[in-house]
Amino acid sequence: MNKSVNHKTQYPRPSSEEDELNIVSQLAMQTQASGSTKIVRAEEDSHIVRADFESEEDSQEGNLRPLTLSEFMGQKSIKENLSVFINAARERKEALDHLFLIGPPGLGKTTLAQIVANELGADFKVTSAPALDKPKDLAGILSTITPRTVFFIDEIHRLKPAIEEMLYIAMEDYELDWVIGQGASARTVRIPIPHFTLVGATTKAGMVSKPLQTRFGIIQRFNFYTREELSCIINRSASILNVKIEEDAALLLADCSRGTPRVTNRLLRRMRDFAQIEGSGVITKDIVLNGMARLGLDSLGLEHYDREILLSIINNFSGGPVGAETLAISIGESMDTLEDYYEPYLIQCGFLQRTPRGRIVTEKAYRHLGLEPGHSFTEVQKSLF
């Protein structure tokens, strides 16, 4: 495997081990100056039920995140397994094996990484794959970590190949492989680093290379949360936000949350606003029903565009089948947005089917929209002439 790395900044050939360490220190200082450990956030989206984007308010409500495994709601099997692994590593006073978290956005992967660091009593460093632009960025971070540090990389499937190859040696041998000089005077420097725990999170596990996957000792997959688990999260968040919520209102809010805690907390804050301004300060079932209607959400959390997709297939294409590209054009959205965001939840609800011929609306979707199966605007229009 070729370990050579091209970079713009040139350093003189080191004459001693001290000079080599000085070079790494310069890399670390450059990395800290450029702020490469800052998470790159996507632009804020106006849709309240979108879990793939974090709004500015989400980052400000960090106090809603649990700090220990006992406070973390749901994902029972993941918590039980991690509890064993963390306690064993803590008793041996070793770094936890590298951890790979897989699941849709908004289910708590970043939160769980922070919990792992808290439970281990270790430092926590966080970045995202797009922020690691050059190998020196990764070298700067890893050369400044302390023993047993938890290093979290979000969206790890977007790592560049040169950085990923450097990470292989860091994960296995706990060394940094760096090429100094060029031409005949070039040589490889192996710089030892403390044993650390890499936590990688991804929403697209299929895009993570096999060599990287196999270097993770612990692999955990997140599932969507149940209605009861989301209700517990709502009650806990309500107590932190100092707002009262009735039990039936919490269950109704859980039904609208798409099985995602991020959406749950976002909706809870909106219901708190409605209860404060237009109610008595208590979130009741009537407050939730009114708030959902004003936000354009129905009892299952479908928003305007979700219903627009179903109605477009029913009215314009007689219920399907229709190709993804044609459907995306008909609703004015990109095909990537349609396939990556809207369709998964509609399929999970049983409202939409993907077939080799195209997308088809199910009878369950007709009933949810209050239509008779086989209803078509085209047929109604024909009967008028």
Side-chain angles (χ1 to χ4, degrees), residues 74 223-233 254 259:
N223 297 313
F224 285 102
Y225 289 66
T226 65
R227 184 192 193 201
E228 291 71 23
E229 291 170 344
L230 290 174
S231 179
C232 293
I233 292 174

Side-chain angles (χ1 to χ4, degrees), residues 226-263:
T226 65
R227 184 192 193 201
E228 291 71 23
E229 291 170 344
L230 290 174
S231 179
C232 293
I233 292 174
I234 290 170
N235 287 320
R236 177 185 176 275
S237 298
S239 64
I240 295 175
L241 294 174
N242 198 26
V243 59
K244 294 182 179 179
I245 183 170
E246 297 179 354
E247 187 61 31
D248 55 351
L251 291 173
L252 181 59
L253 204 56
D255 290 334
C256 304
S257 299
R258 295 177 175 247
T260 307
R262 181 178 296 163
V263 174

Side-chain angles (χ1 to χ4, degrees), residues 43-55 58 258 262-263 266-267 270 295-297 301-306 331-333 337 341-342:
E43 292 183 2
E44 182 177 350
D45 194 88
S46 59
H47 300 306
I48 195 171
V49 293
R50 292 203 65 163
D52 54 341
F53 290 141
E54 287 192 48
S55 66
D58 289 330
R258 295 177 175 247
R262 181 178 296 163
V263 174
R266 197 176 295 166
L267 289 173
R270 299 291 70 76
L295 292 173
L297 305 177
L302 297 186
E303 59 180 6
H304 170 73
Y305 266 104
D306 295 307
I331 63 171
E333 277 284 1
T337 302
Y341 174 67
Y342 290 110

